[in-house]
Amino acid sequence: MQVQLNKQLISSRLKNVYDGWRNASQNDEYGSIADAEALLLLSGDPAGEDEPVRKGTAFQTWLLGYEFPSTLLLFQKDKLLILCSASKAKFLHQIKEGNPPVPVEILVQAKAKEPPSDALPKFVEAYTSFKRVGSLVKEVCTGKLMTEWEQGVSKADKKPELVDMAPALSAFMAVKDEEEMKCIRTAANLTSTLLVHHIVLKLEMILDKEAKITHEQFATQIEARLGSGEGEAAKGPDMKVWSKGRGLNDVDWASTEFCYSPIIQSRSTTTGYDLRSTAESSSDTIAHKGVFLIAVGMRYKGYCANLGRSIIVDPSKEQEAIYNLLLSMQSEMLREIKDGVSAREVYQRALDIVKKEKPELEKNFVKNAGFGTGVEFRDSAYLLSSKNSKHLKTDMVLNLSLGFSDLLDDNGKKYALHIVDTIRVGADRSTLLTEGAKSTKDTLFFLNPENEIEVEADKPSKPSKKAPVKPLVNGSPVKNKTVGGKVLRNKTRSAAQEEVLMTAAAKIKDHQQQLHEGLQSAGLAKYSEGASGGGEKEGKTWKRFQSYKGESALPREVESLRISVDRKAQTIVLPVHGFAVPFHINTIKNVSKNDEGDYTYLRINFQTPGQLAGKKDDTPFEDPDSTFIRSVTYRSSDGHRFDTISKQITDLKKEVNKREQQKKEMADVIEQDVLLEIKGRRAHKLPEVFVRPALDGKRLPGEVEIHQNGLRYQSPMGSQKIDVLFTNIKHLFFQPCDKELMVIVHIHLRAPIMIGKKKAHDIQFFREASDVQFDETGNRKRKHRYGDEDEIEMEQQERKRRQMLNKEFKLFAERIAEAASTSMGETLEVDIPFRELSFEGVPFRTNVRLQPTTECLVHLIDPPFLVVTLNEIEIASLERVQFSLKQFDLVLIFKDFTKPPLHINSIPSGQLDDVKNWLDSVDIPLGEGPVNLNWGPIMKTINESPYDFFQQGGWRSFLGGGDVDSDADEGSDSESEFEADPEELQSEESSADASEYDGSDASDDSGSGSGYDDDSDDGDDWEELERKAAKSDSKRAAEAKGTRGDSDSDDDRPKKKKAPAKPKANGKNKKR
């Protein structure tokens, strides 16, 4: 589908251009073209991405809605002549359908391989027929068409006189209509949101932590809020920031970009402060004190908005007074800037305020107070300077920029201050379009003297001065900040002195300590003395089996006293001393056959106690003390018969094992109640959806219906259906198709159901969405640079289709939740994955993107699906957390200890902090270690006596979670009881895995990750204790030195350098 031009809007703006041109006089805003007989607008190849938008490009975009490179426009009094390629002509022909004020003639150039047409000569002839032509004389265009144009003009006999029409084009674009104002308001809201909800908060965090980051890096991080990367690694807009803005729900992010790279300046900027919009963020490290200048501008659908702020840390009284002057000056200028006022009068009024309030700063005041803005970021025709006599009109948009440069602080160093906002000119006064972080309480931070804090800390009567244990839930992010231990505070100094917010790491540590304490107390309460053997229920039980009820039931084949296999009775009948003795297949372990000479030997091995070792438990027996036959061997010269018997026994064994396994797997499958179909009205339907797990037969879309007590998926042929009752729905998810290939409604069941011949824990309804939304060039400016209208239109249609898909599926999911809540009386909510919190890992065999939701951690794109309910997790263990490794593993241990832990492997180390923050935010205790633990034997040991496990320290001492403090040494005594057997671990772990940690001191590494050494004393104190111990009892000190790892005496503890013993990874715990 081709690009649709707004024909009515183009005709309206063409009419404004011709009306202004025809009625122009030498003294008005269109005076530059008053004597022009024609207007020439040239457009060559697109400008570079880093170059500012040219006025010709801006005017073309304003007039036509898109940029058309390599296109020439000649405005004549009686018609509009356009020279372009054949592909562009298809789009521009639409202008003729919009009732333009003058006829439109389009000259089409020949394609590269076609013979040249007469289009360019005709255009040159029309151009050279005039004496005075208005043009953008200062703009230089390049490209193949421009070369041909210059050659054609140079061959002409006469050439017209050129006059600069730039002021007139600025006047045409200066007054904004309602469509333009919508785009500018959105751009202003985007800019304000980015400033308030990211830039200021991020800067405060940098000051708080005294982080070392350059101005350039900070600017890059700000730009990343709009998305970064390309292809599969591409990240979309940071909705955690943008969702906080108003009116940004339906933003077209592909049409959103920065006007320029954000400008961050501090007193460490080597080039000094620069108030121009062309300044750049330097590669110098940001200072942590003094004046900080911020400038950021955003463009939405081609229209710009801009703002700038000054933030001062530890301001002097002079700086505070100057900043207050800027605030009062801006308020006054908003009243002064109105319809009919000239740009010169605006600047003079601002200068008068400076002369009146602080005359000594007149020389430091900016040379202009702003400029016009819109499609063109900086329109110098409406520069607010002392030399510009142009008058302002209602609905013009200006960038009001007030500031002082080359100011001197108390130390003689130069600094600057500014306040910049985008404003709209009104009939009586102007209004702000950008806002936020401007008042003194938001921008002036005062340092609390260190000695003042120390004095207050020494006072025992004021314990409230200590840092709060918990972070303030609703505390102002501006009023409570620390910079290197000093309080950043505004006008409420007393409140800032009383409460100092902890850093993010300290908050997590404190919160984790509370979680581990709660987990420990809950574990002790749950597994009381009487319930210490709670894990026994998972053990295997003795199962009786019987082959025959009597001799009469034996098959006739046994009369020949030959080995026979009775598949019906699942029995092997063996001749033993002239008797036919039946053995049930469950008593047989395996069968082997080998040939020796003329005979073939058949060996039948039986299940006996003590045979199995390693990962599996022994098979239970009714009386393990009985006498057992381990094996029986038969010899025969008929090798062919023994081959047949061996195969029959092996096949029967496999068949029985398979049947038992299937029976075990189906043990938790439930038989649902009958679905009650809705009556009296039509059921809500979601048509044209596919289902997973897929039904048998050809893959065709069906429809989902909502009934009284459940859902029904109906195949298109009506032959197959899937019913899901509301009572069996545990979680309901909606995943939009943003950055995904499909939109999904996913249902996670409480108990599995049968679909076809397989059981299913999850049922998913989805519809595919094509993946056209990504721009393969990674260039977000294509719309305004290249003019690939067909691709732009396809992308726009794709975005609209995806939005409609998301809306349709989300509405259906909400209807499911509403119907389920009504039917059950319990609230069922739709859970939506947070893509911005996602991380990559390997929960099964492939690397997938795992996304947290409000209640779960999910992977819903490809089967096998993963749905982990967060409130069922007991604790999370972070493993292989080492500086030298690029990946780490996450193990989730469930509150039901009989369930095997879930391993999510190979998570990139760069996402470690994100995973930690997420786990902490959802109140999941976590532990951390440098190596993998063997959770099979560990959970087996814990299940044998959960109460003893918690009695002896529990997870807190086992994984080193939270802040162990003085309990670390006590926990070390009990840890050994839950230490996996090294031999057992060695038998289960491959030598390749073992070699990964070979030669490393696991116990030394674990000390840093577990937190056991957090409260250890200084080295000098331990040496002093050692000397005292040596003096009192030298012999005992020598013995303690030899058995330091095993002794628990107080004399040994000062020498103890390793963390308490932990389960050894891969069966190895070497010492260097």
Side-chain angles (χ1 to χ4, degrees), residues 495-506:
Q497 290 176 1
E498 291 177 358
E499 295 175 342
V500 180
L501 284 186
M502 296 174 289
T503 62

Side-chain angles (χ1 to χ4, degrees), residues 636-651:
S636 173
S637 58
D638 188 355
H640 179 71
R641 172 164 171 75
F642 271 15
D643 284 341
T644 304
I645 292 173
S646 175
K647 187 176 185 306
Q648 289 176 346
I649 296 175
T650 303
D651 291 345

Side-chain angles (χ1 to χ4, degrees), residues 773-834:
Q773 68 171 345
F774 295 111
D775 181 1
E776 295 178 357
T777 66
N779 184 359
R780 208 179 293 114
K781 298 188 178 183
R782 291 185 68 184
K783 176 176 176 180
H784 306 289
R785 301 297 189 195
Y786 293 96
D788 293 337
E789 291 80 7
D790 51 348
E791 294 185 13
I792 293 172
E793 180 65 20
M794 288 174 63
E795 291 174 4
Q796 290 176 345
Q797 294 297 326
E798 180 70 17
R799 281 192 295 271
K800 289 180 182 178
R801 196 162 72 85
R802 285 175 177 267
Q803 290 174 359
M804 292 175 62
L805 278 175
N806 289 340
K807 185 176 180 181
E808 180 183 5
F809 271 67
K810 185 177 181 181
L811 177 62
F812 190 77
E814 290 172 348
R815 284 176 173 171
I816 294 175
E818 182 182 355
S821 301
T822 304
S823 174
M824 298 186 299
E826 300 177 2
T827 303
L828 177 66
E829 295 183 353
V830 180
D831 222 352
I832 302 177
F834 300 114

Side-chain angles (χ1 to χ4, degrees), residues 233-435:
K235 292 184 178 180
D238 186 356
M239 298 312 298
K240 289 189 291 186
V241 174
W242 303 117
S243 61
K244 298 174 183 176
R246 53 186 178 84
L248 302 181
N249 296 328
D250 300 322
V251 169
D252 181 3
W253 294 107
S255 302
T256 308
E257 58 184 329
F258 285 91
C259 298
Y260 54 86
S261 181
I263 303 171
I264 308 295
Q265 301 177 68
S266 71
R267 67 181 184 183
S268 62
T269 304
T270 52
T271 55
Y273 293 98
D274 188 351
L275 298 183
R276 294 175 298 178
S277 59
T278 55
E280 295 182 354
S281 302
S282 70
S283 57
D284 306 300
T285 303
I286 292 179
H288 299 121
K289 192 177 179 182
V291 176
F292 300 85
L293 297 186
I294 300 168
V296 61
M298 300 200 72
R299 188 192 310 271
Y300 183 70
K301 293 186 176 179
Y303 289 86
C304 304
N306 184 53
L307 61 74
R309 294 291 182 265
S310 301
I311 292 178
I312 315 175
V313 176
D314 194 22
S316 63
K317 291 184 178 179
E318 177 69 12
Q319 291 173 333
E320 195 171 350
I322 296 174
Y323 187 79
N324 285 323
L325 173 61
L326 286 175
L327 288 177
S328 61
M329 189 190 306
Q330 189 190 62
S331 299
E332 180 65 24
M333 298 313 297
L334 290 175
R335 288 191 290 270
E336 291 291 330
I337 299 175
K338 54 189 175 183
D339 185 52
V341 177
S342 68
R344 178 191 301 159
E345 291 172 347
V346 171
Y347 181 80
Q348 192 58 46
R349 176 55 184 155
L351 197 60
D352 291 342
I353 296 174
V354 176
K355 290 179 180 179
K356 179 182 178 181
E357 300 294 335
K358 282 188 174 293
E360 69 275 12
L361 296 182
E362 182 182 353
K363 65 182 185 299
N364 304 106
F365 190 59
V366 290
K367 302 307 177 186
N368 65 76
F371 46 79
T373 189
V375 179
E376 193 177 8
F377 174 71
R378 185 180 188 273
D379 190 347
S380 57
Y382 288 91
L383 199 65
L384 301 180
S385 67
S386 59
K387 299 179 181 179
N388 191 355
S389 60
K390 285 189 178 292
H391 288 76
L392 305 180
K393 292 185 178 181
T394 302
D395 287 336
M396 282 187 178
V397 176
L398 304 176
N399 184 65
L400 181 60
S401 178
L402 305 173
F404 297 96
S405 59
D406 295 331
L407 300 169
L408 297 177
D409 62 14
D410 296 338
N411 299 321
K413 294 183 178 181
K414 288 185 178 182
Y415 70 95
L417 294 174
H418 73 162
I419 293 179
V420 183
D421 275 299
T422 304
I423 66 171
R424 177 183 184 179
V425 180
D428 299 322
R429 59 167 293 148
S430 296
T431 55
L432 288 170
L433 296 177
T434 53
E435 58 187 0

Side-chain angles (χ1 to χ4, degrees), residues 464-508:
S464 61
K465 299 294 181 182
K466 296 180 181 178
V469 175
K470 285 188 176 182
L472 299 179
V473 177
N474 296 317
S476 168
V478 177
K479 296 181 180 178
N480 300 284
K481 293 176 277 290
T482 61
V483 177
K486 304 179 182 67
V487 181
L488 287 181
R489 63 195 194 279
N490 306 308
K491 297 304 180 184
T492 56
R493 298 193 181 194
S494 58
Q497 290 176 1
E498 291 177 358
E499 295 175 342
V500 180
L501 284 186
M502 296 174 289
T503 62
K507 290 178 184 177
I508 291 178

Side-chain angles (χ1 to χ4, degrees), residues 55 101 152 245 398 657 824 904 951 963 977 997 1011 1020 1071:
K55 188 175 291 291
L398 304 176
N657 288 342
M824 298 186 299
I904 301 175
Q951 186 71 23
D963 190 5
E977 297 191 19
Y997 305 101
D1020 294 339
K1071 296 181 181 179

